[in-house]
């Protein structure tokens, strides 16, 4: 497998297959939302779009980065989300980097969104579809976020069937600037367990696939029966 690791700004052409990585915290949160029963996640381009979508669909749940804000129901924190009841709900998610990365590659033939919590399932999809050319979008810090790069490199190794171990990649992510900022309270809208939850390897047995639906980019879980994972409680 030919793997490229690019920041959002480095995407000069539409990739065939894209894996958009945001470990801390967009796609850890998305995985938890599905585990808590969400049917789908609409990836919004702006907070204003998220609120507009919610106003058109009063039953939808709006979620954003940072502290609580008027009109938004949830913040982008797995620790705060894990007790939410989202059974059958649609979540509208807007984050600083993760949702931006997915929208940047919306025309790719396959878009997977990932973090460590769905790493093995994501790798299994790439292997099952025999993806020969994969672009990993490292969303954080203009493509320099080591937690995202580490996760992307780990998934690439697993997808290539190299028997890649997770220890060093998880160590890098745990020592990243994002992890430090979350642990030290620099980032608002956080829970003390967020870092640990973001580093929980293969917590869920599904991948997450984003596809255009009615002019929206919609993320849905994709079951991978042979993937590792535990229950969502």
């Amino acid at each position: 497998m030919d793997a490229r690791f690019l920041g959002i700004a480095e995407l000069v052409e539409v990739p065939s297959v894209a894996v958009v990585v945001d470990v801390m915290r967009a796609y850890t949160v998305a995985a938890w939302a599905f585990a808590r029963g969400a049917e789908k996640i609409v990836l919004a381009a702006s907070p204003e779009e998220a609120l507009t979508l919610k106003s058109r669909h009063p039953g939808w749940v709006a979620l954003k980065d940072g502290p609580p804000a008027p009109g938004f129901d949830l913040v982008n924190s797995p620790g705060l989300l894990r007790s939410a009841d989202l059974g059958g709900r649609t979540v509208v998610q807007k984050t600083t980097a993760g949702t931006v990365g997915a929208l940047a590659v919306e025309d790719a033939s396959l878009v997977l969104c990932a973090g460590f919590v769905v790493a093995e399932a994501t790798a299994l999809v790439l292997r099952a579809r025999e993806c020969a050319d994969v672009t990993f979008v490292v969303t954080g810090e203009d493509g320099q976020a080591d937690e995202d790069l580490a996760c992307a490199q780990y998934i690439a190794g697993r997808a290539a069937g190299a028997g890649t171990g997770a220890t060093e990649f998880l160590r890098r992510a745990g020592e990243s600037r994002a992890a430090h900022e979350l642990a030290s309270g620099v980032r608002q809208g956080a829970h003390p367990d967020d870092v640990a939850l973001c580093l929980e390897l293969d917590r869920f047995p599904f991948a997450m696939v984003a596809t255009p639906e009615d002019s929206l980019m919609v993320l849905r879980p994709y079951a991978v029966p042979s993937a590792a994972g535990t229950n969502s409680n």
Side-chain angles (χ1 to χ4, degrees):
M1 186 182 77
D2 181 14
R4 293 187 302 278
F5 305 91
L6 301 176
I8 297 170
E10 297 174 296
L11 295 166
V12 296
E13 59 184 12
V14 177
S16 174
V17 176
V19 179
V20 185
V21 182
D22 190 325
V23 173
M24 296 184 187
R25 296 164 281 173
Y27 294 128
T28 302
V29 165
W32 271 100
F34 290 130
R36 299 304 303 164
E39 178 185 354
K40 64 183 179 183
I41 297 174
V42 176
L43 304 176
S46 67
E48 293 76 19
E49 182 187 14
L51 292 178
T52 297
L53 287 168
K54 183 185 173 183
S55 70
R56 293 175 182 169
H57 306 275
W60 288 13
V61 176
L63 181 157
K64 65 176 282 293
D65 271 339
F72 285 89
D73 306 284
L74 299 167
V75 295
N76 192 46
S77 161
L80 295 171
L81 186 77
R82 59 184 167 178
S83 59
D85 181 4
L86 297 174
R89 306 289 292 277
T90 293
V91 174
V92 183
Q93 185 181 33
K94 170 65 181 89
T95 70
T96 305
T99 56
V100 176
L103 291 170
V105 293
E106 60 184 340
D107 293 327
S109 61
L110 174 64
V111 179
L112 293 158
C113 296
F116 281 109
V117 292
V118 294
E120 185 69 10
T122 304
L124 287 170
V125 172
L126 296 174
R127 290 176 63 181
R129 299 198 183 191
E130 299 181 343
C131 298
D133 188 3
V134 180
T135 296
F136 288 85
V137 183
V138 180
T139 61
E141 299 177 29
D142 296 322
Q144 302 302 307
D146 201 35
E147 74 280 2
D148 293 340
L149 180 59
C151 184
Q153 291 171 335
Y154 174 69
I155 293 171
R158 299 295 296 178
T164 303
T167 302
E168 177 61 17
F169 299 98
L170 289 170
R171 182 196 63 77
R172 285 169 52 193
E175 295 177 357
S176 67
R177 182 165 75 174
H180 174 73
E181 289 179 353
L182 282 172
S184 61
V186 171
R187 298 192 182 189
Q188 294 182 295
H191 186 279
D193 292 343
D194 278 356
V195 173
L197 291 171
C198 289
L199 299 180
E200 194 170 14
L201 184 67
D202 302 330
R203 180 67 173 82
F204 305 112
F206 53 79
M208 298 186 293
V209 179
T211 54
E213 298 182 20
D214 299 324
S215 77
L216 299 173
M217 194 64 167
V218 177
L219 188 64
R220 295 181 184 272
Y222 182 87
V224 183
S226 58
T230 62
N231 63 53
S232 58
N233 296 318

